[in-house]
Amino acid sequence: MEGLLMRPVSRSLSIALALAGLLPAQQHNLSPADLENGARIYNANCFACHGQNGDLVAGVDLRRGFFQHVSTDDDLAKVVLNGIPGTAMPPNRLTPQDLQGVVAYIRSLKNSQAGPIQLGDPQRGQMLAEGKGACLNCHQISGKGSHIAPDLSEEGVLRNPAFLQNVLTDPQTAARAKNRFIHAVTRSGETITGRRLNEDTDTVQIIDGNERLRSLSKADLREFAVEKETRMPSYKDKFTTGELSDVVAYLASLKGGAR
C-alpha cells in the first residue's frame, strides 16, 4: 500500500476498529461511501501485491480469512498502519474513517459469496450488457448510456466478481440504499421522481427521469418518500448461466476510462 499520504490516527483502535465484517462495520457508522473509499484505497494501493481476491501473497488469503500476522480486526488495522518489517508491506498513515473503510472492505472479501466465481468472455458480456440486458438504458459505462442509474465504469475496481454476480441475480439484497429512487410532490403540485445522489437535513439532490440534476428544498415539498426497493430487475432468469458468467466477466473488467 505504498504512496498513501494520510493523516495520523487519533483515537483508540480498539474502539474505532471493532469490525467483524460488513454488518458490524455498518453498525460502527460506516456509510456505503466509506466502504467504497476502502475499496478504492485497496485497489489503488494493495491490488498490485494482493490481487483482486486477496490471494496473491504467499500465506495470505484475504477472502478465506487466512493471515500470517493477523488474528483480529485490531491486528489487521495495525498491520495496515505499521506495515510488516522485513517484508514488502510498508507502513501507512490513515484517518480513522479511511482505516475503518479499508479493514471493512478486506473483511467483506471474506463475507462475499463462498467459492470461486466462474468468469466467462468479457467481450460477449459487453454485447449482452448492451443488448439483451439493456444495461445502458439506465446505466452509463465508459461514456455511453444513461445517468438514471449509477455509473458502472469502475465496477471492476469497486466490486469483486461474487458481488457482481449477486447484484445481477438478487438486486434487492445487494443494492445500496443510497441509490434508491425518491418520490416527491412540491407544494405547487409537481410530482418528481429520480435517483437520490445526496441528501442532508434541508435538501436532496437527484437525477430525474430526464437525466436532469435537480436540487430540491424539503421545505418546498408536501410529500417526500424514499422507495424501499431497487428498480433494478433480476437477471437470474433472463441470462443463462454462461451468459451471466460473461456479463460478470465484462463488469469485472471495467476499471475506468474508455474501453
Side-chain angles (χ1 to χ4, degrees), residues 77-121:
K78 290 176 181 177
V79 166
V80 173
L81 285 175
N82 302 325
I84 303 174
T87 74
M89 179 67 191
N92 304 278
R93 298 181 75 81
L94 299 135
T95 65
Q97 200 76 0
D98 286 337
L99 188 56
Q100 288 184 61
V102 172
V103 172
Y105 176 72
I106 291 172
R107 289 308 195 191
S108 77
L109 294 175
K110 182 179 179 181
N111 290 341
S112 63
Q113 293 176 333
I117 300 299
Q118 184 68 41
L119 296 180
D121 184 323

Side-chain angles (χ1 to χ4, degrees), residues 130-149:
E130 295 179 359
K132 183 177 180 180
C135 299
L136 298 184
N137 287 352
C138 297
H139 297 278
Q140 183 159 135
I141 300 176
S142 302
K144 297 191 299 182
S146 170
H147 293 284
I148 294 175

Side-chain angles (χ1 to χ4, degrees), residues 197-214:
L197 297 177
N198 297 291
E199 182 180 355
D200 57 31
T201 303
D202 301 315
T203 64
V204 60
Q205 290 76 46
I206 69 166
I207 290 286
D208 70 14
N210 294 317
E211 298 189 54
R212 294 177 299 179
L213 176 62
R214 304 190 64 172

Side-chain angles (χ1 to χ4, degrees), residues 18 70 244 257-258:
V70 168
L244 185 62

Side-chain angles (χ1 to χ4, degrees), residues 176-218:
R176 293 168 292 169
K178 75 169 189 174
N179 291 324
R180 295 282 195 262
F181 274 62
I182 67 101
H183 173 85
V185 179
T186 66
R187 294 189 182 279
S188 63
E190 180 186 7
T191 298
I192 302 169
T193 61
R195 176 171 60 92
R196 180 173 55 180
L197 297 177
N198 297 291
E199 182 180 355
D200 57 31
T201 303
D202 301 315
T203 64
V204 60
Q205 290 76 46
I206 69 166
I207 290 286
D208 70 14
N210 294 317
E211 298 189 54
R212 294 177 299 179
L213 176 62
R214 304 190 64 172
S215 181
L216 307 177
S217 171
K218 292 182 179 178

Side-chain angles (χ1 to χ4, degrees), residues 50-88:
H50 288 279
Q52 182 71 52
N53 295 325
D55 58 358
L56 297 186
V57 174
V60 176
D61 190 329
L62 303 182
R63 174 168 288 185
R64 299 176 67 188
F66 292 162
F67 301 91
Q68 291 183 338
H69 302 272
V70 168
S71 297
T72 67
D73 293 320
D74 196 37
D75 294 337
L76 178 56
K78 290 176 181 177
V79 166
V80 173
L81 285 175
N82 302 325
I84 303 174
T87 74

